[in-house]
Amino acid sequence: MRWDNLRLTGADDHDPALPLFAQGAVARVFDTPAFHGMTFYEVRARSIVNRLPPASRMPFEHTINPYRGCGHACRYCFARNTHTYLDLDAGLDFDTKVVVKVNAAELTRRELASPRWRGGHIAMGTNVDCYQRAEGRYQLMPGILAALRDAANPFSILTKGTLILRDLDLLAEAATVTEVSVNFSVGFVDGQVWREVEPGTPHPERRLEACARLNAAGIRCGVLMAPVLPYLTDSPAQLEATVARIAAAGAARVTPLVLHLRPGARQWYLGWLAREHPRLVPRYLELYGRGAYAPRRYQEQVTARVRELAGRYGIGRGSARRPASPPTAQRPGPDRPDAEQLSLL
């Protein structure tokens, strides 16, 4: 990534401890509890619409990422390793040193108007969340959405951020002229797991409430049920509790995705697991000992179970049915050992 017109305030441009990209950026620290310990590097990017490499298996070709790094601080975030490209680390730096492309909105409008732009779906939130807490201060998304609306350019958003409701009117306006799709990431509804592995995100229930509001406003919104965490959120009771809440929120669709541990995320997540759930480390090394992905059989079992539950609860059939209350999700404890947690393998 190339940057131009960069300045750095409050630090020496030649300080060797600075990340390479930031020598010339504007570094800001906000004295508010929400941003405690965080530094924001304001940069002016040269481009904003990114084209994925031809070998990508994604169902889209272009992305917009107004931020790099994420205050959600999800232990498992697959994008962590991208911070190393900026001479930052994939752990704490990813959570606390966020790059803000302050000219993202104007670049979006300029690039969509260029004769070189031939259209095509643009995905947002596929690297880090465009509705993380920093968006509440920098407000880059309204300008980006307005540009997409005015160009009648199709787009999708994946987010954990309920801040997206701030832009509901813009999303509705865009949906009248082009294809607009939103998905919330809600892998589980267990409050204790949420506090442990997604400490900077809105509670899963708040995300599902936002999903319901978007669908009520005519914005088709589904749920990416991701990640399903082996031994922590994958018991039959937990899967059913999650699917039942997704259905109650009126989600248009649900797509499960089992945890994957790519470089950067792997070290950070397993380090957290060793501190908080040391008994699970050998089991994770068995599951992920050969690579970033859990065994295919396990993934297929999770997918089949969620698909069956989605059918039972009526997800995707307009108004979701609500059968008898699902069993309350249980977590490992003194009377429920870890060995009982994973029953899908």
Side-chain angles (χ1 to χ4, degrees), residues 53 67 106 146 150 181 252 333 338:
Y67 301 95
E106 63 186 81
D150 295 346
S181 176
D338 288 342

Side-chain angles (χ1 to χ4, degrees), residues 187-204:
F188 43 84
V189 293
D190 186 312
Q192 184 173 339
V193 176
W194 162 69
R195 283 190 293 269
E196 291 180 355
V197 301
E198 300 174 346
T201 66
H203 191 285

Side-chain angles (χ1 to χ4, degrees), residues 1-4 43-51 63-68 99-112 116 144:
M1 179 62 69
R2 297 174 299 171
W3 314 101
D4 60 0
V43 302
R44 296 188 62 82
R46 292 197 177 191
S47 63
I48 196 66
V49 179
N50 308 300
R51 184 181 180 88
T63 63
I64 288 177
N65 295 296
Y67 301 95
R68 297 188 68 164
V99 179
V100 183
K101 302 173 187 177
V102 293
N103 59 335
E106 63 186 81
L107 278 179
T108 301
R109 186 169 294 277
R110 182 189 311 164
E111 292 178 23
L112 295 183
R116 291 177 295 178
I144 292 171

